[in-house]
Amino acid sequence: MNRGSFYSIEQLSADEIIEILDMAELFEKNPNRRLLEGRVVATLFFEPSTRTRLSFETAVNRLRGRVIGFSDAKNSSSVKGETLRDTIQMVSGYADLIVMRHNLEGAALYASEVSSIPIINAGDGANQHPTQTMLDLYSIRKTQGTLSDLKITMVGDLKYGRTVHSLIEGMSHFNPRFNFVAPTQLELPREYVEYCHEHGIPATYHNEFNSEVIADSDIVYMTRLQRERFLDEEDYKAVKDTFVLDKSILVHAKPNMKILHPLPRVNEIAQEVDGTPNAYYFRQAVNGMFVREALICRALGIEVKE
């Protein structure tokens, strides 16, 4: 396994998380640097992506590197039957770093085991999305001034939402309190309920979404209710409009509470919320570029200075 690979948020200690966030702050001050001149980064996206792929590619361009790869598995030799192992080993001969999104859980870990160059996990099935977690942590610290002792409410698809699963693990170092809000069909998996219990993390659970549920939250993390996860269309229709954040739900919110969302949104955040002081999700997406610049440099062992 290449030591620079980043496939799970569990790889990082609290100190390492802070170190990466501090590096991202340097990139926010000056995102355009010649740190990747002569380097090639391969972006292999076996699943569709907009923000993650574009922010990684923008990060590479701002660091003066070059990008190769594909944004759709249909444009790769996997449609001809090429194995993931062969794809990774082949691309390893062309690039200095691989950023990969795949539909199979554990694909990024497997790729890191067969690759001769670092692998960065850009999402593997419903398992992990560690770079999203790092930009979430960056956004939380930037808006709250700290990562410690915060109340975080997570709303929507908590069962399949890989961003939720990774954020639970990432925040576990910083004494959080969690509030989990989801329809019965999409409640937090038992393994993450047990994770909170084992790590002494206070957590409450709700099947209804209203202003009282988020009243004392520092962060409200919204996710999309994934229609494709419901076995019955009527079950989806019954809950899709009851997990919508609109201005009425913000009536008791803390002044500095911020709303995050990994995007894309469908109807779970009303557009009327976009203009409120609580909305932060579009700025959150921009933060992803600075964090991914930091993660790329970390993977390649590049020192970043003021």
Side-chain angles (χ1 to χ4, degrees):
M1 180 184 298
N2 191 288
R3 293 183 63 186
S5 292
F6 181 42
Y7 52 84
S8 171
I9 196 68
E10 288 187 296
Q11 290 176 262
L12 302 180
S13 66
D15 288 343
E16 288 171 322
I17 288 173
I18 297 301
E19 181 181 342
I20 293 168
L21 299 188
D22 288 346
M23 193 188 305
E25 281 192 347
L26 297 179
F27 282 118
E28 183 170 4
K29 294 174 183 176
N30 179 15
N32 301 307
R33 303 171 185 239
R34 297 181 178 276
L35 297 176
L36 289 186
E37 285 189 327
R39 308 278 189 125
V40 176
V41 176
T43 54
L44 309 184
F45 280 74
F46 293 87
E47 274 192 327
S49 171
T50 301
R51 278 148 300 278
T52 302
R53 181 175 62 82
L54 290 180
S55 66
F56 264 116
E57 293 184 358
T58 302
V60 174
N61 286 323
R62 287 192 178 277
L63 295 175
R64 302 298 189 269
R66 294 182 180 272
V67 177
I68 63 171
F70 53 82
S71 59
D72 189 330
K74 293 178 182 177
N75 298 326
S76 76
S77 288
S78 63
V79 299
K80 302 176 183 178
E82 182 174 65
T83 65
L84 178 60
R85 179 188 182 93
D86 285 0
T87 298
I88 295 299
Q89 291 188 324
M90 180 270 296
V91 175
S92 293
Y94 297 154
D96 300 287
L97 171 69
I98 292 173
V99 177
M100 187 183 81
R101 170 170 289 188
H102 204 282
N103 62 305
L104 295 179
E105 296 182 18
L109 173 58
Y110 174 75
S112 71
E113 292 172 341
V114 301
S115 175
S116 59
I117 62 176
I119 302 287
I120 293 181
N121 182 7
D124 59 334
N127 181 37
Q128 286 266 341
H129 197 348
T131 70
Q132 176 71 45
T133 299
M134 290 304 300
L135 76 89
D136 292 343
L137 294 174
Y138 185 80
S139 298
I140 292 169
R141 188 176 77 162
K142 189 171 182 63
T143 60
Q144 304 302 315
T146 183
L147 287 174
S148 300
D149 304 311
L150 298 176
K151 175 73 173 288
I152 299 177
T153 295
M154 297 187 179
V155 184
D157 180 3
L158 308 187
K159 183 174 183 180
Y160 299 103
R162 59 191 172 196
T163 61
V164 169
H165 304 162
S166 292
L167 187 56
I168 291 170
E169 294 176 354
M171 282 298 302
S172 66
H173 301 285
F174 304 103
N175 193 36
R177 292 178 294 139
F178 286 125
N179 200 20
F180 298 112
V181 186
T184 304
Q185 302 95 321
L186 297 175
E187 289 178 342
L188 192 69
R190 174 55 54 183
E191 64 189 282
Y192 290 100
V193 174
E194 293 175 353
Y195 182 93
C196 289
H197 179 72
E198 291 168 0
H199 288 78
I201 301 172
T204 55
Y205 303 86
H206 304 271
N207 296 125
E208 295 183 2
F209 186 40
N210 52 51
S211 61
E212 286 73 25
V213 168
I214 70 164
D216 63 342
S217 301
D218 299 295
I219 295 290
V220 173
Y221 195 94
M222 298 295 297
T223 66
R224 174 174 66 93
L225 289 188
Q226 300 179 68
R227 187 175 199 159
E228 62 272 22
R229 304 298 188 184
F230 286 80
L231 298 177
D232 190 316
E233 178 72 10
E234 293 305 312
D235 287 344
Y236 170 75
K237 291 179 179 178
V239 299
K240 73 180 182 70
D241 293 325
T242 60
F243 285 78
V244 176
L245 193 158
D246 56 26
K247 280 188 173 180
S248 69
I249 293 182
L250 298 177
V251 64
H252 300 306
K254 289 182 175 182
N256 195 45
M257 183 275 283
K258 297 301 179 187
I259 304 162
L260 304 185
H261 192 308
L263 302 177
R265 69 171 167 184
V266 182
N267 72 326
E268 61 277 0
I269 300 178
Q271 290 189 4
E272 66 182 17
V273 174
D274 294 355
T276 69
N278 306 106
Y280 195 76
Y281 28 91
F282 293 122
R283 180 63 200 186
Q284 174 190 5
V286 174
N287 290 342
M289 182 181 67
F290 311 129
V291 170
R292 285 167 176 139
E293 284 185 291
L295 290 169
I296 288 168
C297 289
R298 177 181 181 271
L300 293 173
I302 297 172
E303 184 179 2
V304 180
K305 299 180 180 178
E306 290 282 353

